[in-house]
Amino acid sequence: MRRRAFIALVGGVAAWPLAARAQQPTMPVIGYLSSNSADRLPQFTAAFHEGLSAAGFVEGKNVAIEYRWAESHLERVPALALDLIRRRVDVIFTSGGDVPTLVAKGATATIPIVFVTGGDPVAMGLVASLNRPGGNITGVTFILGELGPKRVELLHELLPKAGVVGILLNPNAPNAEPDTADAQAAAHGLGLQTHIQRAISDQEIDTAFANLVELKVEALLVIPDASYQSRRDRFARLAARYSLPTVYYSREYVVAGGLVSYGASFTAEFRQAGNYVGRILRGVKPSDLPVVLPTKFELAINLKTAKALGIEVPPALLARADEVIE
C-alpha cells in the first residue's frame, strides 16, 4: 500500500457512519487491534496480559477482549477498527506498527486508545506532548528509529574493516525515510559507503538481499518496521544464506538467529501498555497518563551466528551485552 493510499485510508475512516449505540455489557471490553497475526508474536500479547493483570484485570474473569488481526494486510485495518468502534468497546489497544494507531485515532475521538509505537508520537500527531498527551490517546513508544545512528556505531565496532553498508527499509512505514536518512548520515560520518534497498513483500525482501550481495555490501542495517518484525525468521535465514552480518532493532531477531540487536524491550513496553489499559478501565483518563519512554535499551548478541559468519566479537562489546546467545 503506497503512502498516498495510506493517507487517504486514514483520513477516510473519520467519515464512516457509526452504528447506533448498543447496550453496554456489564463486563468491560477491550478492543485489541494489530496489523500482525495472532500466532506471530504471542510473547507480546502475553506481556500485554501481564500488565493488564497487574492492574487487576484478567480476560474472561472481569474483562473481555475482542481481538482483530490484520494478518499483515494494512488495507484491512480500517474495517477492523470500525468494527471495534461499532461494538462500543471501552478501550482500544493498537500495535503492529503505526497504521492501526493512526487509523484508530482518525476514527474515534471518544473511545480511549492506548498504543505501542516505534516512532515519535508527537511528530506523528498522535499526542500533543509526551507528558500531556491530551485527547483520548496515550501509550508507549520504543523510539526505535532514533537509535539508528547508535546501531550504525555498533555495526562499525563489530566490523571495523567493513566499508560498505546496506540499509533495508519498508517504504510504506511512516517513519522509514527519516529513520533511514539519520542512519545514512551516521554511516557517512564514519566514512562508510551505503546502499539502500526498499522492500515490502517476501519476494522483495529476498531480492533485496540478493541485490546487496551483488553490490558487495559487507554488513546490513534493518530499519524498524512491524511487518519486518513478523518476518524475523526469514531475515535470519537470508542473512545466513548470504553470509551478511546484520544489525537489528529488537532481541527477537537475535533469538531467531540474527547476529546482533540494540533496542528497547518489546515485552516490557507491551506490559506497560497493558497496565495503562487496565488503569483506564479503572477510570483514569488517557490525557492524565504520560506517554512512556523506554528506560533501558538491550544489546543482544548471538555468538553462534557470529561464529558461523567468521566474526570474532570484541570482548568489550560482549561485556556490554545484556544477552548473549551461545
Side-chain angles (χ1 to χ4, degrees):
M1 183 173 57
R2 297 301 172 188
R3 183 171 180 83
R4 182 177 298 175
F6 164 71
I7 294 172
L9 175 152
V10 173
V13 177
W16 291 343
L18 298 181
R21 178 179 292 273
Q23 183 177 357
Q24 287 282 10
T26 56
M27 184 181 291
V29 180
I30 300 167
Y32 193 112
L33 178 63
S34 174
S35 65
N36 290 313
S37 59
D39 60 344
R40 282 184 176 175
L41 299 162
Q43 67 272 34
F44 297 160
T45 304
F48 173 83
H49 278 273
E50 290 173 8
L52 191 63
S53 177
F57 290 93
V58 177
E59 183 180 12
K61 182 178 180 181
N62 59 354
V63 70
I65 302 180
E66 292 280 345
Y67 297 94
R68 297 294 182 272
W69 307 96
E71 307 285 343
S72 296
H73 294 281
L74 297 183
E75 69 275 8
R76 297 178 184 173
V77 172
L80 297 177
L82 177 61
D83 183 50
L84 290 174
I85 293 169
R86 282 175 170 165
R87 291 176 181 270
R88 296 295 179 178
V89 298
D90 296 273
V91 184
I92 296 176
F93 168 65
T94 59
S95 67
D98 300 322
V99 172
T101 304
L102 290 166
V103 169
K105 178 176 170 58
T108 178
T110 56
I111 298 176
I113 300 169
V114 175
F115 60 77
V116 290
T117 180
D120 182 344
V122 176
M124 287 189 291
L126 295 177
V127 297
S129 71
L130 298 178
N131 289 330
R132 298 181 180 276
N136 64 319
I137 186 168
T138 188
V140 181
T141 177
F142 304 117
I143 56 173
L144 294 172
E146 294 181 19
L147 298 176
K150 181 67 177 179
R151 295 187 190 99
V152 172
E153 294 174 8
L154 176 64
L155 183 152
H156 186 57
E157 183 178 359
L158 183 62
L159 300 163
K161 294 183 179 180
V164 185
V165 175
I167 301 177
L168 180 61
L169 70 143
N170 179 348
N172 283 348
N175 291 301
E177 296 294 345
D179 290 351
T180 299
D182 289 343
Q184 192 173 31
H188 292 169
L190 292 171
L192 305 176
Q193 180 183 351
T194 58
H195 288 292
I196 295 176
Q197 291 286 308
R198 295 172 174 81
I200 301 172
S201 66
D202 287 346
Q203 183 176 355
E204 288 174 341
I205 292 170
D206 293 349
T207 300
F209 268 84
N211 289 344
L212 289 168
V213 172
E214 289 185 5
L215 291 167
K216 300 188 184 304
V217 162
E218 298 166 273
L220 173 63
L221 175 72
V222 176
I223 299 298
D225 176 64
S227 70
Y228 284 178
Q229 179 81 359
S230 62
R231 293 179 168 109
R232 59 197 183 281
D233 292 331
R234 189 179 204 89
F235 276 85
R237 288 196 301 270
L238 287 167
R241 179 192 305 171
Y242 292 109
S243 297
L244 187 58
T246 305
V247 177
Y248 304 95
Y249 52 89
S250 79
R251 66 174 291 276
E252 282 70 30
Y253 286 93
V254 177
V255 173
L259 176 61
V260 62
S261 68
Y262 182 73
S265 168
F266 278 39
T267 53
E269 305 309 319
F270 269 76
R271 192 176 297 113
Q272 177 63 60
N275 185 265
Y276 261 22
V277 169
R279 292 175 66 180
I280 289 172
L281 289 177
R282 292 202 175 278
V284 180
K285 296 179 180 179
S287 57
D288 293 333
L289 295 172
V291 175
V292 177
L293 297 171
T295 57
K296 180 182 179 182
F297 299 102
E298 300 176 332
L299 171 61
I301 301 172
N302 192 316
L303 280 183
K304 182 178 179 181
T305 300
K307 182 178 180 181
L309 292 170
I311 297 173
E312 184 174 347
V313 181
L317 194 57
L318 278 177
R320 300 204 312 271
D322 299 279
E323 182 176 8
V324 177
I325 298 175
E326 301 186 64

